[in-house]
Amino acid sequence: MRKLLTSVAAIGLLAAPALAQVSDDKVKIGILNDQSGVYANFGGRYSYEAALMAVEDFGGTVLGAPVEVTTADHQNKADIASNIARQWYDTEQVDSIMELTTSSVALAVQALSKEANKITITTGAATTELTGAQCSPYGFHWAYDTHALAVGTGGALVEQGGDTWYFLTADYAFGYSLEENTGNFVKANGGEVVGAVRHPLASTDFSSFLLQAQASGAKVIGLANAGADTQNAIKQAAEFGIVQGGQRLAALLFTLSEVNGLGAEAAQGLTLTESFYWNRTDASREFGKRFLERTQAMPNMIHAATYSAVTSYLKAIEAAGTDETEAVAAKLKELPVQDLFAENGVVAANGRMIKDVYLMEVKAPDQITEPWDYYNVLSTIPGDVAYIKPAESGCPLVTQ
């Protein structure tokens, strides 16, 4: 009996240091995004489910401590998001906040988290400022950004002769960034931006904006918005006969969720850029089918990237032997990202996770062979082409 008690005590002593390296004896992740507004299907509760799947697939614990996931709706308002983040950090023992759809929200929460010495991994927002001038040593950007969208969709349409552009832009940080990045890319490739108009987030009537775009005579109308805003703009453009009149619509941020919401008939022929497609590889198909069984929807790039971000965060804690922020941030930048979302992903010094992205075309309805099989993959854009080179990003963390 004495030997047994001694053995049990020894096991306890061996286990204790590992658990002691985890603050509050648990790891808690917050998924903060829009769950009731214009981006509710873009990320929303589906991103929360993706995070839960990642934790379950990891085994539910790290360094012997349980992993918890909490979630909240920021309503696309930076002040609400910041208040939730403060409460999570101050009273609810949240260690890291992820997803952060809406660029104004992501910038605010990343800045607050820097002060709080906490890690953020953004998968839902797009602005390049997150890894540019407003980068953070504890801030990471995982799924896509406005530069990758500009190179993908913008580049494809310029090559196809779309050399004059007019932008219909969401009136906040994301829209400005997407318009600027795409406009710069168009001009650098010999095209011209003939004008732009900005609309409020969550608009329901795009008629005046679309009429201005139509009157511009531009070959391409760039929709620098996302979610339900893009869906509504495309539907209303059809009512004005814009495409029938010879102009093209560029859905600069459009995902599988919005294609499904719009319907294949209305979306067919659209060119878009995503960093994930469920029907591209065996690993993505397996994940997609599990996700579909759980949510009754196929994952888009935000959902898959959230799964990847949570998994990478837990791997970094495991590799660091602690959940201490500095050590985990260092491991996130050191470890390769190899999973169902990223093949040979690399995290740069500015926090940008660099991987390939894909130029897609929405199939005609008669080409769709199974539910959610909406895309033809037109080309693969290498990560070092899609994303701004870290040394050129404007991030003060990058020294070379």
Side-chain angles (χ1 to χ4, degrees), residues 140-205:
F140 298 86
H141 202 180
W142 220 253
Y144 69 106
D145 65 22
T146 52
H147 188 271
L149 299 175
V151 171
T153 309
L157 292 176
V158 171
E159 284 182 9
Q160 294 169 18
D163 55 3
T164 56
W165 285 61
Y166 187 97
F167 288 96
L168 198 157
T169 303
D171 193 11
Y172 75 103
F174 151 67
Y176 312 151
S177 182
L178 187 51
E179 177 189 322
E180 179 182 14
N181 276 275
T182 307
N184 288 342
F185 191 85
V186 168
K187 288 181 279 190
N189 286 273
E192 180 186 2
V193 176
V194 300
V197 62
R198 291 175 175 173
H199 69 82
L201 182 66
S203 294
T204 55
D205 184 1

Side-chain angles (χ1 to χ4, degrees), residues 29 31 45-61 67-71 98 287 290-291 294-295 303 306-308 310-311 314:
I29 298 166
I31 302 299
R45 299 287 297 186
Y46 298 124
S47 291
Y48 174 59
E49 291 296 333
L52 291 175
M53 288 178 69
V55 171
E56 291 164 11
D57 289 350
F58 200 81
T61 65
V67 181
E68 299 177 10
V69 183
T70 189
T71 190
M98 303 187 194
F287 174 70
R290 287 200 295 131
F291 191 89
R294 186 175 186 127
T295 66
H303 310 139
T306 301
Y307 178 98
S308 174
V310 171
T311 301
L314 297 177

Side-chain angles (χ1 to χ4, degrees), residues 77-335:
K77 296 178 180 177
D79 57 343
I80 291 176
S82 295
N83 288 337
I84 292 170
R86 285 192 188 94
Q87 180 179 331
W88 277 358
Y89 291 150
D90 293 346
T91 66
E92 298 186 27
Q93 300 174 332
V94 168
D95 299 295
S96 175
I97 297 178
M98 303 187 194
E99 219 272 36
L100 295 170
T101 294
T102 315
S103 292
S104 53
V105 164
L107 289 167
V109 173
Q110 180 170 282
L112 183 153
S113 300
K114 179 181 178 181
E115 294 176 5
N117 197 43
K118 299 285 188 178
I119 285 172
T120 58
I121 307 181
T122 298
T123 59
T127 179
T128 52
E129 283 294 291
L130 287 162
T131 52
Q134 298 188 54
C135 68
S136 161
Y138 318 126
F140 298 86
H141 202 180
W142 220 253
Y144 69 106
D145 65 22
T146 52
H147 188 271
L149 299 175
V151 171
T153 309
L157 292 176
V158 171
E159 284 182 9
Q160 294 169 18
D163 55 3
T164 56
W165 285 61
Y166 187 97
F167 288 96
L168 198 157
T169 303
D171 193 11
Y172 75 103
F174 151 67
Y176 312 151
S177 182
L178 187 51
E179 177 189 322
E180 179 182 14
N181 276 275
T182 307
N184 288 342
F185 191 85
V186 168
K187 288 181 279 190
N189 286 273
E192 180 186 2
V193 176
V194 300
V197 62
R198 291 175 175 173
H199 69 82
L201 182 66
S203 294
T204 55
D205 184 1
F206 287 87
S207 56
S208 65
F209 310 121
L210 288 166
L211 287 170
Q212 291 178 66
Q214 187 176 39
S216 74
K219 293 179 183 178
V220 179
I221 299 172
L223 302 177
N225 50 22
D229 278 344
T230 307
Q231 286 179 240
N232 288 331
I234 292 171
K235 288 176 183 176
Q236 291 172 36
E239 297 171 9
F240 291 109
I242 287 177
V243 174
Q244 294 88 330
Q247 292 173 295
R248 298 191 67 171
L249 296 177
L252 294 171
L253 176 50
F254 211 54
T255 76
L256 193 75
S257 303
E258 289 74 56
V259 171
N260 186 67
L262 186 60
E265 186 70 36
Q268 63 179 305
L270 281 176
T271 301
L272 54 90
T273 302
E274 285 208 62
S275 52
F276 173 86
Y277 180 41
W278 73 269
N279 203 12
R280 196 181 67 83
T281 68
D282 289 343
S284 62
R285 278 186 283 272
E286 189 273 336
F287 174 70
K289 289 173 182 176
R290 287 200 295 131
F291 191 89
L292 180 65
E293 289 174 3
R294 186 175 186 127
T295 66
Q296 289 71 61
M298 278 293 184
N300 63 20
M301 63 178 171
I302 291 87
H303 310 139
T306 301
Y307 178 98
S308 174
V310 171
T311 301
S312 294
Y313 177 63
L314 297 177
K315 286 181 177 178
I317 291 173
E318 188 173 63
T322 176
D323 68 345
E324 189 274 323
T325 294
E326 295 279 355
V328 174
K331 286 298 179 183
L332 278 167
K333 292 177 180 177
E334 174 186 323
L335 297 173

